[in-house]
Every structure is written in structure tokens, then in C-alpha cells.
Amino acid sequence: MCLGWVLLAQLGVEAAVVLSAALAVVAALSKPVDLADAGPLRLRDAAITLLLAAVLFGFRGRAFAHAAIGAVARIEMDTTHTAWRGLGDKGRFVDGDKQSAALPARLSAHLPLMLGASSRRVLVARLESDQTLMAALSHPLARLDVVAPSRAVRVVIGGAALNDPRVHLLSVDGMVAAAAAKGRYDVVIVDPGVRWWLSRLLTDEALRHFHAAAPLVSVRLAAGGDEAALKSVLRTMQGVFATVEVFRDFKTSDVILVAARKRIALDLAGVERRYATSSTRASLAASGIFNVATLLAYHAMTGEQLKAYVGAGPLNTVARPLSARGGAQPAAARPSLFIEPNTAAGAEQASQLLRLYASYRSARGDALAAVDVEMV
């Protein structure tokens, strides 16, 4: 900032602001942002200087400042998911591996792509985390379409994903993209955000569009809301899809729903082959998943068990969505689906897919050992 005042004396106000802004941005980008270091101070200096530029230059200055701040935000992401940086809530810079949502975001991509027999074309109908994209790109996809109607979403995507030729950005709403894509995709991934009960992407109309667009649909629900809202969404999904399998991260308690047009005939040999792909295996390992058994241990509830849990009741329809009913009401405790099991041991006991895989391994003379399930 001191250099900016020197420039002010020598070159005049406007030139000094532009040059000092450029220098501040370069300083901010000189090394990866580290919240334990002086990174936020450099970024704050850049933001203050750019804001001054916006005031002096009017609309043109605002456009310049916005573009420069966007450049600061698009910090390079490590493709192994071990050191990515991104924008958190309210624009704060956060470390991706320290976000509790990192693993569920990755699982929302890994699970349908590992369970699906042939998953080459994927639509991300709504994006919350770049981790979802990087996880998907670790699989041998032919095309990954991402709904990115705003500049903010494009900033979150950023880095390596934007440079991947398989990635295509769609400047439309997620429901519109799905409605125009009947049968075009193998998997649709939906992350409706922390306040999922307010999203129209979980209404019956949107779910029918997703059902028509792909045979497998993955939906991530962040832990929260109330029991009635959760059951209404799950009941609606079960009315649209033939089956809905529930997976749960035992640390965050976030839930991943894998819905299918028809009952999933799990090809365990195929799952092992897909896991053996080097990039997929590396991505899963970066998530603390070191083998197929660990991945399947996240399975928490079958479609039949889910039906018993939700019971009868109202649906989340376009005519009467949850948002019109006040969304989720404050609750003394989070819904039970987000709570049990909340330990690695509980997840192992609950997973029917893991038990099925254990039987499969035993039948071929390669029985699972206790250490084969390493949930970290």
C-alpha cells in the first residue's frame, strides 16, 4: 500500500490506483492462500485498493475490480484434492480439506459413478463444491456438463476443471437443463445446498426431469432441517424413482441419495474394475477411501428400509413445495436419518452393500479382514 501512495504523488490519482491495485493482486497471487499466514492481509489490501478503483472509475472501475477479484478467487486447485482453495460462505477464503463438506461432496460424484454400469456422460444440475467436479473428473468420463448460470458458480469451478476438455458449462437453470436432456446422460448429480428444503430441484417436477435425463441420480442432503421436511423430500423421490439407496458420511452426517429408474443390480466385479482405474483410485484415497469395502461401508439404508422410515404423508410438489409451507421448522434435534449410525463401527454394521460385498469376496476365496474397512 505504501507503494501506492508513492505512485499517487508521481502519477496522479487514477494511474496510482490502477497500478497499486495490480501490484496488490500480484502480491496476493504470489503464493497459495494460507489462512495461518499473512494471505488474508494481502487479499484485504487488494480488495481495498480495487474498491477505491471502483469508486474513482464508476462502472468501468467496478467491472475492473470485479474481474480482478475473480482472478484472486480462482486460486489453483490441486487435482489430488489435498490443497485446493476456494470461496466459502459469504466470500470468505477457506481451505477445502478443512471443510467438513468435502467428503460428502466427493461422494455425491463417486457413488453413482462407481455403482453405475456405464457412466460416461454426467450432468451436474447444481454445484456447491468444486470437490464434486474433481471427483467426477477422476472417472473416465466422455463429457461433464455443469450448470453454471452465474459468475459466482464459475469462480467456484475454476482451476483444473475449467481446463479439462470434458467440462462444458451450461448457462441455464438445472431443471431446464434436465428437461431438455431426455436420455442424454448416464448420471445426474444434484447438490441443493445447505438449505435443501427450499430448493425447487427437489420438487416432484424437477425429479421427474432428472429421472428422464439419466438412469441414476445422486442427491446430497446436508445434515439439517426437520424430520417432516426430510421425509417429504424422500417420499417424493420414492414416488418418482424405482429405488432410492441411502449413503451417509458418519462424520458430517450428510446424506447422499442414489436414486435409480429401476432396481440397482450391483455388479461387484464391475465396481472393482472401476475402482482400479488409477485416477479414480487416487481420488478416493485422497478422500480416505482405500478400497471398495470402505466405499460400500457408507451405505446406510436400502430402498425398502427407507420406505419404512418415511411412511405416508405429504409430498414436495410444485403446487405445494416445502418453501411455501415455511420450509424446515426449527427442531430440538436433527432428523434421525442424519444421526444413526454416526460412527465407523455403526456404519459397517448398517451397510447391507458391505455385507453383500463381504459374501462376494468370501465366495471367491478372498475374505475381507477387519482392516479392509478403514473409515478415517
Side-chain angles (χ1 to χ4, degrees), residues 121-123 143 145 170 177 181 183-188 213-215 261:
R121 300 161 301 169
V122 176
L123 169 67
R143 183 182 179 100
D145 289 349
L170 306 179
R184 184 181 302 172
Y185 299 103
D186 300 306
V187 171
V188 172
R261 287 179 187 162

Side-chain angles (χ1 to χ4, degrees), residues 228-247:
L230 176 63
K231 288 184 177 182
S232 180
V233 167
L234 296 174
R235 205 176 287 121
T236 305
M237 289 189 69
Q238 288 196 315
V240 173
F241 296 94
T243 186
V244 180
E245 299 290 325
V246 180
F247 296 79

Side-chain angles (χ1 to χ4, degrees), residues 60-294:
R60 183 173 299 176
R62 288 195 301 274
F64 164 73
H66 188 83
I69 291 172
V72 174
R74 287 187 289 272
I75 303 298
E76 181 178 0
M77 294 176 294
D78 189 301
T79 56
T80 63
H81 315 305
T82 57
W84 73 274
R85 305 290 188 268
L87 280 173
D89 184 38
K90 299 181 181 177
R92 293 192 298 268
F93 278 80
V94 293
D95 187 302
D97 273 343
K98 293 180 181 178
Q99 283 186 314
S100 61
L103 177 58
R106 297 168 186 166
L107 287 176
S108 67
H110 281 308
L111 284 169
L113 293 173
M114 289 292 289
L115 298 177
S118 176
S119 300
R120 301 279 293 164
R121 300 161 301 169
V122 176
L123 169 67
V124 179
R126 190 184 185 281
L127 181 69
E128 270 292 298
S129 170
D130 69 304
Q131 296 293 283
T132 302
L133 292 186
M134 301 311 293
L137 290 171
S138 73
H139 294 261
L141 305 181
R143 183 182 179 100
L144 178 61
D145 289 349
V146 184
V147 171
S150 67
R151 183 184 296 269
V153 176
R154 292 184 176 91
V155 167
V156 171
I157 294 171
L162 280 180
N163 296 324
D164 193 304
R166 296 173 294 173
V167 175
H168 302 268
L169 304 185
L170 306 179
S171 299
V172 295
D173 175 81
M175 192 159 67
V176 173
K182 291 183 178 179
R184 184 181 302 172
Y185 299 103
D186 300 306
V187 171
V188 172
I189 299 171
V190 185
D191 191 336
V194 176
R195 300 172 68 186
W196 46 264
W197 52 87
L198 298 180
S199 175
R200 72 187 190 116
L201 295 180
L202 298 182
T203 61
D204 57 344
E205 180 182 5
L207 292 171
R208 281 195 293 268
H209 288 316
F210 298 146
H211 176 278
L216 281 179
V217 176
S218 170
V219 176
R220 173 191 167 200
L221 298 182
D226 64 21
E227 202 93 33
L230 176 63
K231 288 184 177 182
S232 180
V233 167
L234 296 174
R235 205 176 287 121
T236 305
M237 289 189 69
Q238 288 196 315
V240 173
F241 296 94
T243 186
V244 180
E245 299 290 325
V246 180
F247 296 79
R248 177 173 37 227
D249 174 19
F250 71 92
K251 286 187 177 180
T252 66
S253 295
D254 285 9
V255 165
I256 310 298
L257 305 170
V258 179
R261 287 179 187 162
K262 57 184 180 180
R263 192 179 187 85
I264 299 175
L266 189 60
D267 176 11
L268 291 170
V271 172
E272 289 184 326
R273 285 194 301 272
R274 287 185 282 279
Y275 172 79
T277 303
S278 59
S279 57
T280 304
R281 187 167 185 160
S283 177
L284 286 165
S287 303
I289 299 172
F290 302 102
N291 49 45
V292 171
T294 305

